[in-house]
Amino acid sequence: MSASRSALKADRQADPQAGTALFSVAEIRAIEQAALANLPPYTLMQRAGAAAAAATRQLNGNSDTAHILILAGPGNNGGDALEAACDLSSGGLEVSVLLMAGSSNKQPADAAHALERARACAIEWITPAQLTTDTSWTLVLDGLFGIGMQRALGPEYRAIAAHINALHCPVLALDIASGLNADTGCIVSDANANTDADIDANTDADTDNRAIRATHTITFIAAKPGLHTCDGRDYSGAVQIADLGIDRKLLPAAHAVLNAPRYFADSLQPRLQNSHKGSYGDVSIIGGAQGMAGAVILAARAAAQAGAGRVYAGFVEPPPAYDPLHPELMCRAAATLDFSSSTVVAGPGLGESRDAHDLLAQALHTPVNLVLDADALNLLAAEPRLQHKLSTRARLGATLLTPHPLEAARLLNISAAEVQADRLHAARSLAQRFQAIVILKGSGTVIARPDGLAAINPTGNPGLATAGSGDVLSGICAALMAQNWEPWQAALGAVWLHGAAADALVEQGVGPIGLCASEIGLAVRQVLNRLVEEKLHHPAGTR
């Protein structure tokens, strides 16, 4: 078996003990049932409550004084919250519980048992009316609804969410913030969004209160995709995992993971002294239609800063003589470039002219690794013949597609709102349809490949929501493949580095507001060199 096939097999059987495996709600339910078959009743709820109480104490700085508000809903998530309430009150903390569960005979057995226990504890029971008159809470535990939630929060619960979201204390969600879909990361709604305009509607104040905005989440058994993509990153806060002591052998092979350097560490190699520019590959960027020359320059600069040996900036329109900030870039007419000798990026500022179409068709026919972005994706969406060429070019080289949600929607012939409604599914669908690695950009960027394996990226911040940041990403992808990174690892590495660079800039006070795409490449260079240095000195410790 070749090294690349060995790596593929290792990825398919992602280690669930590594803490980065992501499981769907259905998979979590199956794990839970398998565990319960060998445990006394109520065991997992007790463990969940104890873990929640421990996390609460930690957030409270292990202080002996606190005023804890616990929201307990009608299901087992509410039972977990009530268990935590007993634990915390027994430890001497002041605990108030807003019970939204109704009578115990309408609850699941374990949750009903937890309620009986809680009624015997030193807990203050409050009403929704009392909730709105008290702002003295030092911490809130959200145990209203867990990962099984299928319906939007009703008016009564939305009013609670509005009050909690206006507080200035930590909010700890149990398993997942109430109102958030654990599989998709979308806020649960009664009706699916049907138009692209629905995406913009997510900015209104009412939408903000369709879920509780947690500052922290303690999720049980294993992580879920929805914690890390779409609305998940805004509503989950810092996420920790409590495995509840479940035997890790009960966890299946993961089909999704949280991206981390461990998944591309094999490609993080220090450079030999005895090397030259040809050792690190050539990258050709194709784009630069009238008024969009900057897109090519951004991608080309990023490719150079991510380590490509030589970079050609190819322009549909007459090229500039050189890039005054980076004269090492070779500016050429795109039609004169020899695609066969380099990794190719097609799309940044390409336009949709006949010349642009012909250059894309030529790139699709050339036996090279190829990155398709921006207008290349729009041209593909408009022409089935180009789509067929894309889906059958696997023998010629790897293909990476880097769409944002609207570009993905055009390729799938659906709305951008439908893409955002299930980002994992959309990315996997594109990867399978076009036999390509797909990078679906957005909060919690999804990277997927044709066999169904997917990764969600945890790095990055709103500073990346700026013109040109996608062009920078495409240049990084090509640079890594030009340096002989295996394509899947190149995609994972490029996305992680792109986000980590933006995070590093924000830490330095550059952004997120006003961060510019042209600033990202230099930060990528620093982060990449740091990772290589860390691996060189700590080969087993690359995080």
Side-chain angles (χ1 to χ4, degrees):
M1 180 181 291
S2 69
S4 62
R5 287 183 63 84
S6 297
L8 185 149
K9 181 179 179 181
D11 278 342
R12 285 294 294 166
Q13 298 176 343
D15 180 7
Q17 297 188 59
T20 57
L22 302 173
F23 294 102
S24 68
V25 172
E27 289 171 324
I28 291 292
R29 294 298 190 216
I31 295 166
E32 190 175 37
Q33 290 305 309
L36 287 170
N38 297 300
L39 291 172
Y42 199 61
T43 300
L44 292 184
M45 185 165 287
Q46 285 180 314
R47 292 177 181 177
T56 300
R57 292 191 188 94
Q58 185 177 24
L59 279 177
N60 194 48
N62 292 311
S63 171
D64 292 333
T65 60
H67 189 187
I68 310 297
L69 170 64
I70 296 182
L71 310 176
N76 285 329
N77 195 249
D80 297 339
L82 291 169
E83 270 296 307
C86 286
D87 192 316
L88 292 167
S89 65
S90 299
L93 295 180
E94 183 181 357
V95 176
S96 298
V97 173
L98 175 61
L99 182 65
M100 302 294 291
S103 61
S104 60
N105 60 6
K106 294 182 180 180
Q107 293 178 279
D110 283 357
H113 182 65
L115 178 56
E116 289 180 16
R117 273 199 75 221
R119 292 201 183 280
C121 295
I123 291 170
E124 178 192 20
W125 301 88
I126 66 170
T127 66
Q130 290 173 282
L131 170 69
T132 59
T133 60
D134 195 337
T135 59
S136 65
W137 320 110
T138 55
L139 189 144
V140 177
L141 255 68
D142 168 26
L144 288 177
F145 297 100
I147 62 174
M149 188 176 182
Q150 300 296 321
R151 296 170 58 188
L153 292 180
E156 186 176 20
Y157 289 102
R158 200 175 293 190
I160 294 171
H163 182 75
I164 300 304
N165 291 345
L167 297 175
H168 299 288
C169 64
V171 177
L172 175 63
L174 305 189
D175 218 5
I176 194 165
S178 295
L180 198 62
N181 185 297
D183 285 336
T184 67
C186 295
I187 295 174
V188 179
S189 60
D190 285 324
N192 292 326
N194 294 314
T195 68
D196 294 342
D198 292 329
I199 293 177
D200 296 329
N202 287 339
T203 61
D204 66 38
D206 187 57
T207 295
D208 285 344
N209 297 322
R210 286 192 295 146
I212 287 180
R213 191 182 295 270
T215 60
H216 300 76
T217 297
I218 179 167
T219 197
F220 302 132
I221 300 178
K224 293 85 181 173
L227 296 168
H228 300 286
T229 193
C230 202
D231 297 311
R233 295 189 72 195
D234 287 314
Y235 285 81
S236 301
V239 178
Q240 62 176 296
I241 301 169
D243 64 17
L244 306 188
I246 288 177
D247 187 344
R248 310 322 282 167
K249 294 178 182 178
L250 297 179
L251 274 63
H255 298 282
V257 297
L258 195 63
N259 192 19
R262 66 171 62 91
Y263 295 119
F264 54 87
D266 288 348
S267 297
L268 293 168
Q269 299 298 330
R271 294 195 162 184
L272 298 175
Q273 296 289 347
N274 185 20
S275 62
H276 52 84
K277 62 187 177 185
S279 305
Y280 305 112
D282 294 351
V283 170
S284 295
I285 316 289
I286 308 168
Q290 183 67 36
M292 296 185 286
V296 172
I297 294 297
L298 284 169
R301 288 178 181 176
Q305 289 160 339
R310 291 177 294 199
V311 181
Y312 298 87
F315 295 81
V316 175
E317 297 293 328
Y322 64 98
D323 174 9
L325 289 183
H326 288 273
E328 63 272 13
L329 302 179
M330 291 170 276
C331 298
R332 307 284 172 83
T336 67
L337 294 179
D338 178 9
F339 297 167
S340 65
S341 62
S342 62
T343 299
V344 175
V345 178
L350 182 63
E352 298 181 31
S353 66
R354 185 70 222 182
D355 287 343
H357 173 279
D358 292 346
L359 285 166
L360 175 58
Q362 180 185 346
L364 289 169
H365 274 301
T366 306
V368 293
N369 289 338
L370 180 61
V371 180
L372 300 180
D373 184 31
D375 284 329
L377 301 175
N378 294 328
L379 287 166
L380 280 164
E383 186 170 334
R385 286 183 299 175
L386 289 178
Q387 294 179 30
H388 177 72
K389 289 178 182 178
L390 171 59
S391 63
T392 57
R393 79 173 304 272
R395 59 185 175 80
L396 299 177
T399 307
L400 273 61
L401 309 183
T402 63
H404 57 54
L406 184 55
E407 290 162 347
R410 290 170 181 153
L411 288 166
L412 291 169
N413 197 29
I414 58 177
S415 71
E418 289 173 290
V419 169
Q420 290 293 81
D422 195 338
R423 289 168 51 76
L424 267 170
H425 176 72
R428 283 170 165 152
S429 295
L430 281 172
Q432 198 280 327
R433 179 178 298 186
F434 296 115
Q435 292 299 292
I437 295 168
V438 170
I439 296 171
L440 177 57
K441 295 178 286 195
S443 180
T445 290
V446 179
I447 309 101
R449 66 189 194 193
D451 66 355
L453 183 69
I456 296 177
N457 192 63
T459 62
N461 58 68
L464 292 173
T466 186
S469 67
D471 302 316
V472 170
L473 176 62
S474 65
I476 300 166
C477 289
L480 298 184
M481 286 197 292
Q483 294 168 80
N484 294 316
W485 283 44
E486 190 271 331
W488 174 243
Q489 292 195 19
L492 296 176
V495 174
W496 194 93
L497 289 165
H498 186 247
D503 292 339
L505 287 168
V506 169
E507 288 175 7
Q508 297 163 23
V510 182
I513 298 171
L515 192 155
C516 295
S518 57
E519 298 173 288
I520 299 170
L522 288 173
V524 165
R525 181 172 69 188
Q526 293 176 324
V527 175
L528 177 56
N529 278 287
R530 175 177 59 79
L531 284 183
V532 171
E533 191 70 15
E534 285 181 1
K535 186 189 174 187
L536 182 63
H537 292 99
H538 307 285
T542 305
R543 294 186 298 275

